[in-house]
Amino acid sequence: MTTSIVRATSRRRFLQFLAGSPLFASGAVSAYAAETPSKLPDPMIWAPATDDLIKSPKDAINVFDFEPVARKNVPPAHFGYMASGIDDEVTLRANREGFLKFQLRPRRLNDVSKVDMSVELFGTKYDSPIFISPTGGNKFFHPDGESAVARAARVGNHLQILSTSSNDSVDDVTKARGAPIWFQLYASPQWEIAQALIKRAEAAGCPVLAVTVDRVGGRNQETLFRLRRSDTRECNTCHDRSSFAKRVVRRHNYDGIDLSSITGSGESSNLSWNTIKRMRDITHMKIVLKGIVTPEDAELAVQNGIDGILVSNHGGRGEDNGRSTIDALPEIIAAVNGRIPVIVDSGFRRGTDVIKALAMGAQAVGVGRPYLWGLGAFGQEGVERVLDLLRTEIRAAMQQCGVHSVKELNPSFVRRAT
Ligand SMILES: Cc1cc2nc3c(=O)[nH]c(=O)nc-3n(C[C@H](O)[C@H](O)[C@H](O)COP(=O)(O)O)c2cc1C
């Protein structure tokens, strides 16, 4: 071996070591590691673009194929908003790495030529366990925004949860989906605003209110802030960020609501169990809490008459707590003990990821970034293909596990790796 080959090989080994080490897997190191053959948890977050990007949705082999195309199409600041975690992004990576802690125990010889992937949530049947997690401002990624996502969700009959901060209004998105959707609530610090949003969602026919309880403080979105610096456009030209009311001008769920009382950034810092009780008193919608990550809070949710729990760490975007949702899920399922439905999101990218959560006892699994990658890459068709790939992988994983229906999955199909 020549000296230069030896040096290159040992550098690659060193970078692979760094990329694999939880102590060093920072954003910067991940970007370096993209030069190496090592497989990152969420490949290509902000790494240099490859030159063999897919040209059409049908070329995609897995959901990750859409991310570098979205990276190319979407302005750096908007891409950074989507990709970012918090601080060291430990939670962001843990969400992917968490699946490595669990293994499947497939069963054989069960004639799986017919597989039923459908699930039922609060009396409504969906054709698969995958749902659309709420994400704000989808027009950051494609001019067709949340309505395009809704049309794609309609194709596969997926549940869609719409963000309070969506660009398209809950009425428009319900129309595009062609069926009722769930509404995610950012309560804001002002009760009157929460009340007005709840009334809007109820009037639009939403059967379920998913109240987000894990965004109550400020956050350091380092990847967003770094990528924003590389954006040559002037953000203030499109977004007047001088007040909350001005910032949400294109977020149409807020239309007609008086926002002048919000002086800060609008986070729901004063949210408490009492606020949830007040919500319970003014709406017939079922209430699901989004962002529960401990069995203690799951127990309190049941005691407070909550209808369901969405185990979520906001895709590693709330606080950098360091724990994946797949790791937290079993103890929450145990605490709830079947009294109310538990659904989950954060880091799900593969059919086998989904099967692991369903086997643990989750009733459905949400995705956030994957459909935004599809949207940013190819609009509605991209989202359709992302959902199609996930369904294909889930079906195959169910067949390989020897189950005919989601109901047959139980904890015996999964074990914690030793
Ligand atoms: C760009 C982006 C915007 C988001 N906006 C919201 C939101 O408005 N409300 C909310 O409750 N969660 C929001 N989330 C969190 C998602 O609902 C979901 O919990 C998360 O994306 C799941 O993790 P994943 O992206 O790894 O699939 C957002 C996530 C992303 C990536």
Side-chain angles (χ1 to χ4, degrees):
M1 245 194 246
T2 66
T3 320
S4 62
I5 293 175
V6 171
R7 207 177 287 138
T9 309
S10 55
R11 178 165 182 271
R12 193 176 312 120
R13 283 205 190 112
F14 175 61
L15 288 169
Q16 278 172 318
F17 161 72
L18 284 186
S21 159
L23 286 178
F24 289 97
S26 74
V29 173
S30 302
Y32 271 127
E35 304 174 22
T36 77
S38 81
K39 223 163 177 194
L40 295 170
D42 240 357
M44 297 303 301
I45 294 178
W46 53 91
T50 58
D51 44 13
D52 57 349
L53 303 183
I54 54 167
K55 309 270 183 311
S56 106
K58 67 175 171 13
D59 297 338
I61 295 164
N62 61 37
V63 300
F64 299 111
D65 283 340
F66 292 90
E67 188 179 11
V69 184
R71 173 78 177 95
K72 181 173 73 64
N73 293 355
V74 173
H78 293 183
F79 186 83
Y81 163 68
M82 181 278 299
S84 201
I86 303 294
D87 299 342
D88 292 321
E89 300 190 336
V90 174
T91 318
L92 183 71
R93 284 188 304 281
N95 280 340
R96 293 296 303 134
E97 288 162 358
F99 293 106
L100 302 176
K101 293 187 191 168
F102 297 95
Q103 302 165 338
L104 289 171
R105 298 182 66 251
R107 301 297 308 278
R108 309 297 186 208
L109 295 168
N110 238 353
D111 183 359
V112 285
S113 45
K114 288 205 182 71
V115 165
D116 175 8
M117 289 194 290
S118 68
V119 296
E120 201 176 298
L121 289 169
F122 301 119
T124 301
K125 193 173 166 196
Y126 301 94
D127 291 350
S128 90
I130 286 290
F131 67 87
I132 300 284
S133 284
T135 60
N138 285 187
K139 290 194 174 170
F140 276 176
F141 311 107
H142 192 276
D144 295 344
E146 292 83 5
S147 294
V149 176
R151 286 189 291 272
R154 181 179 195 159
V155 173
N157 186 25
H158 294 270
L159 164 65
Q160 179 174 13
I161 310 183
L162 184 72
S163 165
T164 295
S165 312
S166 56
N167 291 122
D168 293 332
S169 73
V170 61
D171 298 281
D172 288 346
V173 178
T174 301
K175 263 189 220 118
R177 174 62 184 80
I181 58 176
W182 293 10
F183 186 76
Q184 174 270 325
L185 180 72
Y186 278 140
S188 96
Q190 296 295 333
W191 170 247
E192 292 69 26
I193 295 171
Q195 201 173 15
L197 289 166
I198 291 170
K199 295 237 171 302
R200 170 158 288 159
E202 194 148 35
C206 298
V208 179
L209 184 71
V211 184
T212 295
V213 296
D214 63 358
R215 284 288 306 112
V216 295
R219 53 180 175 173
N220 185 14
Q221 298 174 283
E222 290 193 15
T223 296
L224 163 62
F225 300 148
R226 276 187 212 295
L227 287 187
R228 198 158 67 187
R229 285 184 190 158
S230 68
D231 206 318
T232 49
R233 301 155 328 134
E234 176 46 62
C235 296
N236 290 329
T237 315
C238 299
H239 321 271
D240 181 342
R241 291 179 290 170
S242 58
S243 71
F244 181 79
K246 287 188 176 146
R247 250 186 22 235
V248 300
V249 137
R250 276 181 258 180
R251 317 247 170 169
H252 292 295
N253 292 319
Y254 288 107
D255 287 358
I257 300 178
D258 179 6
L259 303 171
S260 57
S261 56
I262 303 190
T263 47
S265 51
E267 280 130 15
S268 319
S269 308
N270 54 355
L271 209 56
S272 70
W273 288 106
N274 191 43
T275 327
I276 306 293
K277 186 179 173 312
R278 289 181 85 183
M279 292 177 187
R280 172 87 294 163
D281 291 344
I282 62 156
T283 180
H284 296 301
M285 289 185 283
K286 301 276 184 205
I287 296 184
V288 168
L289 298 185
K290 176 175 186 283
I292 297 292
V293 288
T294 61
E296 294 90 332
D297 281 342
E299 177 58 35
L300 283 174
V302 175
Q303 282 173 19
N304 279 275
I306 298 306
D307 300 292
I309 288 175
L310 201 177
V311 177
S312 173
N313 58 31
H314 220 104
R317 300 162 68 82
E319 72 281 311
D320 205 11
N321 66 45
R323 192 176 192 196
S324 66
T325 54
I326 195 71
D327 197 50
L329 184 63
E331 59 188 46
I332 294 174
I333 298 275
V336 169
N337 196 18
R339 288 175 289 174
I340 53 174
V342 176
I343 59 178
V344 62
D345 75 15
S346 299
F348 289 80
R349 307 288 182 260
R350 291 285 188 184
T352 45
D353 302 339
V354 173
I355 296 300
K356 286 174 188 174
L358 297 175
M360 288 172 184
Q363 303 208 357
V365 171
V367 287
R369 292 181 185 84
Y371 76 82
L372 294 179
W373 300 337
L375 184 67
F378 300 106
Q380 178 185 337
E381 277 182 51
V383 182
E384 275 182 40
R385 179 72 176 137
V386 163
L387 295 172
D388 177 42
L389 281 163
L390 289 171
R391 289 194 304 269
T392 304
E393 288 188 17
I394 292 169
R395 174 182 298 280
M398 283 176 67
Q399 287 177 310
Q400 284 301 123
C401 279
V403 297
H404 311 89
S405 82
V406 170
K407 284 192 206 87
E408 287 173 30
L409 285 163
N410 64 55
S412 75
F413 286 94
V414 70
R415 72 186 282 272
R416 198 176 265 274
T418 46

